[in-house]
Amino acid sequence: MAAEPGRLPEGGRIDRSRPLQFRFDGRAYTGFEGDTLASALLANRVRITARSFKYHRPRGVMGAGPEEPATLVELEGDLASGNRPATTVRLTDGLVARSVNAWPSASFDLGAVNQALARFIPAGFYYKTFKWPDWHLYEPSIRKAAGLAGAPRESSNDGYEARHAHTDLLIAGAGPAGLMAALVAGRAGARVMIVDEGAEAGGSLLNRRLSIGDQPAMGWVAAAVAELSAMDNVIHLQNATVWAYREHNLLMVHERSPENSSLSGRSWRVRAGQVITATGAIERMMVFEGNDRPGVMLASAVQAYVNRWAVRSGQRAAVFTNNDSVYAAAADMARAGIDVAAIIDSRDSVPDHARALVPGMEILAGHTVGKVHGRRGLRAVTVAGRRIDCDLLAVSGGWNPAVHLYSQSRSRIVWDERLASFVPGDAAQAVLAAGAANGAMTLGAALAEGAARALAAVAALGRAAAMPALPEAVDTPYTVAPLWTAPGAAAKSFLDVQNDVTVADIELALREGYSNIEHVKRYTTGGMGIDQGKTGNVNIIGAVAERQGKTPGEVGVTTFRPPYTPVDFGAIAGRRAGPVVLPYRHTPLTGWHKDHGAVMYEAGARWRRPGYYPRPGESFQDSVNREARTVREGVGIYDGSPLGKYEVKGRDAGRFLDWIYTNVMSSLTAGNGRYGLMLTDDGMILDDGVSFRLAEDRFLVSTSTGNADAVWQHMEKLLRIERPDWQVRITNVTSQWANATICGPKAREVLAAMGTDIDLAQGAFPFMAFRDGTVADLPTRVVRVSFTGELSFEVNVRPRDLPTLWEAAMEAGRSHGIAPIGSEANHVLRVEKGFLSLGHEVDGTVDPHDLGMGWVMSKKKPDFLGKRSVALRRSAGRPRRELVGIRPLDPDRQIPEGAPLTPGGRKEATEGFVTACVWSVVESRWVGLALLTDGRARIGGRAYVRLPDGIIEVALCPPVFHDPEGERLRS
Amino acid sequence: MLLIDCPFCGKRNESEFVYGGPAMPARPADPSALDDAHWVDHLTVPPNPMGPVEERWWHLRGCGSWLTIRRDTVTHAIAEVRHGG
Amino acid sequence: MGYDATITQLPLRALFDLQGEPSAIGDWCGDALPAFPERPNSVSERDGRTLIWTGPDHWLLSAPLGAEAGLSEELRPDDAPADIGVTALSDTVTFFAVTGPDAGAVMAVATPLDLHPDTFPADAASWTESFGTKALIRRIGEGYEIAVDRSYSDWFGAMLDRVVA
Amino acid sequence: MVNIIIVMQRYSILSLARNALSGHRGWAEAWRSPPLKDRYDAIIVGAGGHGLAAAYYLAKEHGITDVAVLEAGWLGGGNVARNTVTIRSNYMRDESIPFYVKSVAMFEGLTRELNFNMMHSKRTMIDVLQTWGMVRDRRRRRLIMDIYGATYEDISVDELRRRVPALTGGRPDSRLPILGAAVHTDAAVNRHDAVAWGYARAADAMGVEMHQKTPATKLLRGADGAIAGVETPRGTVRAKTVALAVSGHTTTLTETAGLRLPLRTINLTAFVSEPVKPVVDVIVNCPDLGVYLSQSDKGELVIGGATDLGQSFRRDIKQSVFEDTVAAMLDLFPRFRRLKLMRQWGGHLDMAHDATPIVSATDIPGLIVSAGWWGGYKAIPAGGAGLAHLIATGRPDPLTAPFGLNRFRTLDYVVETGTTTAR
Ligand SMILES: Cc1cc2nc3c(=O)[nH]c(=O)nc-3n(C[C@H](O)[C@H](O)[C@H](O)COP(=O)(O)OP(=O)(O)OC[C@H]3O[C@@H](n4cnc5c(N)ncnc54)[C@H](O)[C@@H]3O)c2cc1C
Ligand SMILES: NC(=O)c1ccc[n+]([C@@H]2O[C@H](COP(=O)([O-])OP(=O)(O)OC[C@H]3O[C@@H](n4cnc5c(N)ncnc54)[C@H](O)[C@@H]3O)[C@@H](O)[C@H]2O)c1
Ligand SMILES: Cc1cc2nc3c(=O)[nH]c(=O)nc-3n(C[C@H](O)[C@H](O)[C@H](O)COP(=O)(O)O)c2cc1C
Ligand SMILES: [Zn+2]
């Protein structure tokens, strides 16, 4: 076990009583509770922690938070996940991590040969080459090289949850601005949610040494956190990132390893009345040759490591800046024992308030870093010809307010010349920015803004709040003079460290005419990495602006989009996984069907229904034939519960049905029903079903299973939007009625045997009538409809009674050989009858005439939905595809459903297709239905099914194979 | 995800609603009185502005009302919600 | 560790759907109903009968299942005048109770409806959405009652169990 | 063939090597920025895939080079920059299949034709079928596609799992068990930006002018009612033929000339995961669950799902659509639970009343529209060629003829029944 050479003897927010063992790239190290993987690696002086994406250059840790562009690791074991910035990986005991994109390790990486090829592979090189003979030749090796981490493996302990939250005010960020805002709004009684992605609250205060009032800033933070936790109107989350800002103030939060739960992640959908983005600011890189060398770090990160983790990132440092913020950092570095050799400031004059922070330190104003020495890590820099030995170069290119969320809300961001950064502009939603996220770069200003924004937000919510007395907070003013690219910056000056995009790449893009910033992004891939350019994007914009003679504001930004930082897909799906990924519906008999061996299918509208009930040793076809024969010859029973059912009631109910059906329903007498077709106003069939008149002003409309909701919507919309003055009310009774349909020549006997007070005689209870009464002592409504072509009784009961009814029918039918039938046999039976089926014959292109159902189009009614369109379409006189029956000349030849018909079976445009093909139990052969151009006129002739492996000749016949007169169903 | 202020229920998540299409002009009482071209337009040509558009939403998973809302197609801001057409 | 909450599937209840002008409904139903609730999406109760105002011109009457036959006689759904709708719906929904200290957290996973007491007080009840399907939610003593279409209840129960597990 | 002088710098490994030695200072602009004239033979509005391809074929096939392509924003920044690059021809209707078959084939030769590497990768698409209705839908497509020479084959579930090992969901006990799969070997992905840039560069080389940041704000009509040109903030530009290839903005423009069209604009979205090592090497389409994905050469999974409800000119993803898509993906690919979302975005496109594209002359003489391309990335080569043909000859070519506006006059819609999530 190695000691930790970089760790300071005391200080920091780590728990030295809890050492932790971990492995990185195969070697063992120690850190402490409170460390991140990055701080622990630095404490162990591991310098090369990564290899770059394209050139495999050695890289070290550069940042201290989610902005980290360089060190991405892959975690193994229970925590397995890839492409994690080491700066955001909380150190745990036994953690195993390795660098991505390097083999065998970051320190010794074979891919490094790409460095030698660098000049041949500038931005966009692949557009210019790899064309011959074919991209395919090159793609596999390119794909293997790309991709950083490996794809995650399946892991069993992935608990994720997604939940909703509602809040008056959502505050993103628990730095001083966010905490102050939460205190003000919380004290005013508003519902507040404050969400921060760090392990603990405090934001930048964790990394700096400042005071608030008369105590250290972190004391103030602790007091604020305590006060908030005592308010039950406040929810405070740490380790939680606001990663998306969507329309209508919906924000998404990803909470990692939530407390008091076994979850690995929780996703919050937060609907907020008001939002304050107090997300702080992110430091920019400096752009000079060799700025990616291990040992070059963001100054704020170096400062964070000494203050928060008691880690010296190097022994002897230089500092390179264009702004004031590094002076406090340099002072903190020096206090921690880092020997600060010099501060190189590109500005000609350094403000006194900055100088005052580093008395005695050498400041090289008006200078830039010329050259970086050291191949595998920094050894020295050259400034104006002078070599400064150092193993650490702390750089700051200025600060970018973290406007990501603000911009995601589609609010404007604008260029601020004074801050040399983009800042929030006009808001597009109820959002305010506070603190460094709004360009308020000092602690006092952040506190004041946090309070002021909270007051404004609370006022907008209609609440009164008091401006608190603001504690005194001394901080250094912030001034900056941008240096977008240092003199001499070229092919090894990295703008996007992660994607290896250099100044030379940007210049090439501009030279080749990819001059819009969006082109620059896409041509070079700058900003398209996992960090989405947090440290680099504005530098790219600055570099482009400089070269185009524009301001960065004129160049503009690329679009900020979610997520702010990457989010596990598991957290987004939450609990929806496996068997409950989609809803499923059951009837009261679903259990029975399964117990009786039914093969269950998805049957539309989320229902799962029996397809067939195979008996031991039976093939699929055997079962279906047996079930179909049972109905044709004896009696079958099926569960018809899912059929859509609606009560339509009111003075205008009849008139309404006449309008939405093609035929007349208002002439029905109570106790009777009628089959009807519903068209869209475009004149296409929408649905079919039987409507019954229950009373003068009351109808029961039934719909197909799959279309039930669509028909309901259709009816409701027509009524409420087009005919609000009509008195019609619709009640969905689909789930109030379940049914068992008993069908076949012996159906009447079975029903009678069950015991009923309904007169079942043909004369007393004709086809298409219904009767209320009891069956097997249960209250029922029995309906004489038939979808099989046989005598059929649909016995409707309350769902709670269906199992009893069903058992009674099975019992009563036993002597008749009753058997349950599934949807496959039903399909055979309806095809034999030529009954239409939605999804087969009705595919959104047919009208009733096409199906030979012109009779259903009322000639009496002046208008009904679809009438005008059917007439208009037909007036063009174009030939239509019409429903016909088909019999393959070879009776044993099954035709795949969907197969095309072409003239003579030739390889030509189709003239129709086979909508259904079944083994007919009445004809003992394959029969089918087809839609065929001018089909009806061709009945008696032949047509040809064209399959990839042959042609099937079929004889055309009327589309009915069984009982054309319908005597059996009326019997 | 929109937040729709139902006159009956108050502000509710879009997931409670079913989209019912753009508000087309009222269906003519007597379609046969229209010439073909006008009928085709009525059926097929919706208003498609960059800006406010009226559309129907069914509060199926709420109070069951049909609502007409005026929503900006660019910003998605909802300026008006009313019952019926 | 999951949530400290209990999911219970409740027995059927007598339910009647009432549609129309309150005056017309009142005329027909007479004493069968508690007073009409005063706010949309709230309930009134009397003698074990609960009336929920679920939509404009739309109410749901609920009572223990034992009262179903009696109510049916009082309300005579089949004879109600044309301008109102009275429909028996007892079998259409399945009720679940979500109770226990973490009931609120479970509900926050289950539904986007804001159940804060300021917006959803003790007498509130509303149709809303839960896991993508239509659901009726009401506050009960130490938790919530949530009802969905009976055909979805197996799935819905499984979903709630997953949340609590 | 028309004689066009091509003045284009060749891209090759040699030119790359040569340039490397000179610090890549020798590369020319891919396209120029000439001054905007006040008159052209033809104007194409919209420098997206269809507009740029039309410009290229107009010059190459028809010798018409006095053409301005006017682009409101940056070239290639519309939907061509934001689609999921699924190139396929598994359609259902005689009107559609031959067109897409041709377009898919044209894509295959484009890298060399345009001397611009589009990284065209004939990956194969596999449809994962989880309901019998979908099995039937795909069978219908498969059998008719065969007539037009497009590939589509059934494979077993075992074979599917062998070819997509990461697909471990959809087992018999899942919500929607996998019933089968269909393989479309013609399907491909490629580099979307390169398509726009490649066409632009080649068209530029033949003299077509590209004008960025030049929105057409109004269509101008002459006294005879015919199109006369367009107005732009940079001045009026005249032409006797104006073609609109502006995706979601077709009606925005036609309505300035009083022309209303059966189109509405919708928002469609996509997202990418973090880049990872190769894990899926085909396009996987799951129409029953509503998700499709492929892995790019850079390693991200590129994932798409359903469209938003309602009309929209926004380009943000809707949380509900997004969650549904992710839940569906994880059901089939449970191991992606720990994969991370990296970026998401949207695009807006118009969709015709029958959901089939429109390439057509209009009631305004000289005004041509190419619209309704909500799944029209794959259609760029053939659609561009068809549009060019229409511009040059005034008549549609046979492949785009079924996409005329006339079909609406008699409500003879072209309906691609059935759902395929993959665009
Ligand atoms: C998320 C998503 C996924 C998709 N996936 C696929 C897929 O997998 N496969 C597939 O085949 N298709 C897919 N598509 C569709 C495909 O992107 C489009 O069909 C195709 O890009 C549209 O054609 P285009 O390239 O010409 O349009 P665009 O690229 O949108 O070009 C139109 C251009 O017109 C410009 N413009 C607009 N108005 C004006 C004006 N007034 N003046 C000047 N210029 C104007 C725009 O700025 C734009 O550049 C997808 C689309 C999206 C959004
Ligand atoms: N001159 C400088 O050195 C300089 C520059 C910039 C900022 N600052 C200091 O920063 C402080 C400003 O305070 P502040 O409160 O505005 O910022 P802050 O940086 O202190 O706090 C921002 C917090 O927001 C969190 N955050 C960011 N994005 C988030 C997201 N999407 N979801 C959840 N949490 C997110 C961060 O983790 C951080 O904790 C002042 O003390 C100021 O002096 C100083
Ligand atoms: C096929 C494809 C792959 C993409 N891959 C990435 C990627 O790896 N990284 C990234 O940041 N964005 C990626 N994007 C998204 C773009 O950054 C951008 O979001 C998209 O082009 C839309 O533009 P906009 O976000 O600027 O509106 C990809 C887009 C497409 C179409
Ligand atoms: Zn409502």
Side-chain angles (χ1 to χ4, degrees), chain B residues 6 8-9 59 62-63:
Chain B
C6 171
F8 184 82
C9 306
H59 202 179
C63 66

Side-chain angles (χ1 to χ4, degrees), chain A residues 172-178 195-198 202-205 208 210 240-242 278-281 325 399 405 434-437 440-443 446 475-476 478 564:
Chain A
V195 176
D196 186 276
E197 70 181 339
S204 56
L205 300 178
R208 307 179 68 204
L210 294 172
T241 305
V242 185
T279 44
S325 71
W399 289 80
L405 292 175
M441 292 299 183
T442 59
L443 177 55
D475 198 350
T476 325
Y478 172 73
Y564 175 67

Side-chain angles (χ1 to χ4, degrees), chain D residues 338-386:
Chain D
R338 289 235 177 131
L339 192 67
K340 294 183 277 307
L341 170 73
M342 182 168 76
R343 187 175 175 95
Q344 51 189 199
W345 66 92
H348 50 259
L349 305 127
D350 37 29
M351 187 188 270
H353 183 68
D354 61 356
T356 290
I358 295 172
V359 181
S360 184
T362 65
D363 287 346
I364 300 177
L367 179 67
I368 292 167
V369 296
S370 171
W373 292 114
W374 60 288
Y377 177 69
K378 62 183 81 65
I380 285 171

Side-chain angles (χ1 to χ4, degrees), chain A residues 322-347:
Chain A
N322 60 7
N323 69 84
D324 302 346
S325 71
V326 299
Y327 289 83
D332 289 0
M333 287 156 64
R335 167 176 299 129
I338 298 176
D339 175 10
V340 182
I343 298 181
I344 303 139
D345 195 322
S346 61
R347 298 173 296 178

Side-chain angles (χ1 to χ4, degrees), chain A residues 4 25 49 81 205 214 369 587 687 699 763 776 945:
Chain A
E4 286 185 292
D25 272 352
T49 50
S81 68
L205 300 178
D214 49 14
V369 170
T587 79
D687 198 46
F699 292 81
V945 176

